[in-house]
Amino acid sequence: MKKAFTLLMMSIGVFAINAQVIQTRLLEVSPADMDKFVAAASKKTKMYNSKPDQPRYLTFEILSGKYANNFVRVQYGDSLAVFDDVDTVGNAYWQKTTGNLHTSTGNRIWGLVKSATHAPETADYENLRRVIYYNFSDEGSDDFWRFRERVKKAMEASGYNHRMGVWWCASGCDGNVVMVRFHHKDFAGQAEDYGQPLADMIAKYEEMYGEGSYEQDSDKVDASLLENGRKFRHYRFRPEMSSPRN
């Protein structure tokens, strides 16, 4: 009962007023149609998704895994209500210009978990994302979220100056699925970020929660995961197919 209550409160907290939400779709494109698709998607986004009162989208190229060289298209907003406003004109144009150039699958809705997300004001929105997908048991939910919230606090305390977004899947997933997205400038930047900055974060974690706590808490997360419960992917932001940041 306690686990069910924890998960219910997490869902309520994620979708509170002014919480950030996203809807993701996988766009599969054949190599032969790639140039045409990118050009058409870029034009549609500029026409129908570049002004403040228009639906907002981000597009990422998948760099690794089964769907490498395809795309993830992300619609975002401040509440679930944003998905009630259907852009019939823009959608019709999208279908007309890109409909026969791609296959769209896997619609999912995610909510930002602010208590576990690290987003310093001085950090840039960098182009490379290292994404980890977790699927954990109900029984392990407390251990999972304890670790993620402690990592966020240790990042703050150590001055880690890169973004880490933690997203809870509320629709379209099986089980307790969470996506953790780390921002890096590029692959060389990732290597640098996981050098001294990561070491500083772990040191601060153990200063705050006790010697050996980082490994102990990590082991508890490992024990909470279901079969194939951790998947790693890399995405690259494609600004020409995305709404302006501001």
Side-chain angles (χ1 to χ4, degrees):
M1 183 67 180
K2 179 183 176 183
K3 304 302 180 185
F5 179 76
T6 299
L7 296 173
L8 174 61
M9 294 309 294
M10 175 62 66
S11 180
I12 291 173
V14 164
F15 293 113
I17 295 174
N18 295 326
Q20 189 174 349
V21 296
I22 59 175
Q23 187 170 215
T24 62
R25 293 179 292 132
L26 169 66
L27 308 182
E28 295 185 67
V29 183
S30 71
D33 293 328
M34 186 62 67
D35 290 343
K36 291 180 181 179
F37 174 80
V38 170
S42 299
K43 183 176 181 180
K44 185 270 179 183
T45 303
K46 184 175 182 179
M47 292 174 60
Y48 293 100
N49 308 114
S50 62
K51 299 178 181 179
D53 60 342
Q54 294 176 327
R56 313 292 281 175
Y57 287 92
L58 303 176
T59 303
F60 295 87
E61 180 184 357
I62 304 170
L63 303 181
S64 61
K66 178 180 178 180
Y67 296 105
N69 303 316
N70 292 287
F71 301 95
V72 173
R73 182 87 163 167
V74 181
Q75 184 181 2
Y76 63 96
D78 291 331
S79 73
L80 283 171
V82 71
F83 304 133
D84 289 329
D85 298 326
V86 179
D87 179 17
T88 55
V89 176
N91 289 351
Y93 183 86
W94 173 270
Q95 188 61 32
K96 178 181 178 181
T97 57
T98 73
N100 64 343
L101 301 176
H102 80 286
T103 301
S104 176
T105 58
N107 188 24
R108 293 178 171 182
I109 296 175
W110 308 78
L112 184 68
V113 184
K114 291 185 177 180
S115 64
T117 291
H118 179 61
E121 293 182 0
T122 55
D124 294 328
Y125 286 97
E126 297 173 301
N127 285 342
L128 184 69
R129 301 288 188 280
R130 180 174 182 263
V131 183
I132 308 176
Y133 292 94
Y134 293 97
N135 192 351
F136 56 90
S137 67
D138 290 351
E139 293 75 17
S141 62
D142 288 347
D143 291 329
F144 180 87
W145 288 115
R146 181 187 301 110
F147 179 68
R148 295 259 48 101
E149 291 174 355
R150 285 182 171 185
V151 166
K152 178 252 180 73
K153 292 176 182 177
M155 282 184 167
E156 290 179 339
S158 66
Y160 187 83
N161 198 38
H162 297 274
R163 294 174 179 270
M164 176 191 68
V166 178
W167 299 85
W168 167 274
C169 185
S171 184
C173 298
D174 298 325
N176 306 308
V177 178
V178 168
M179 172 174 59
V180 182
R181 301 169 67 95
F182 297 91
H183 290 226
H184 304 289
K185 179 181 179 181
D186 47 29
F187 284 104
Q190 175 184 307
E192 293 176 2
D193 298 341
Y194 290 159
Q196 193 61 47
L198 177 60
D200 291 343
M201 185 278 289
I202 294 175
K204 184 60 68 172
Y205 190 109
E206 300 207 343
E207 177 184 320
M208 297 170 69
Y209 303 111
E211 183 178 354
S213 58
Y214 185 84
E215 182 175 356
Q216 292 165 12
D217 290 349
S218 296
D219 288 345
K220 290 179 181 178
V221 170
D222 290 343
S224 78
L225 301 181
L226 302 177
E227 185 177 1
N228 298 319
R230 182 189 281 112
K231 298 179 181 179
F232 299 89
R233 299 290 185 269
H234 276 89
Y235 295 164
R236 178 177 290 124
F237 179 59
R238 296 294 297 263
E240 74 277 24
M241 292 189 281
S242 302
S243 300
R245 292 289 191 186
N246 299 322

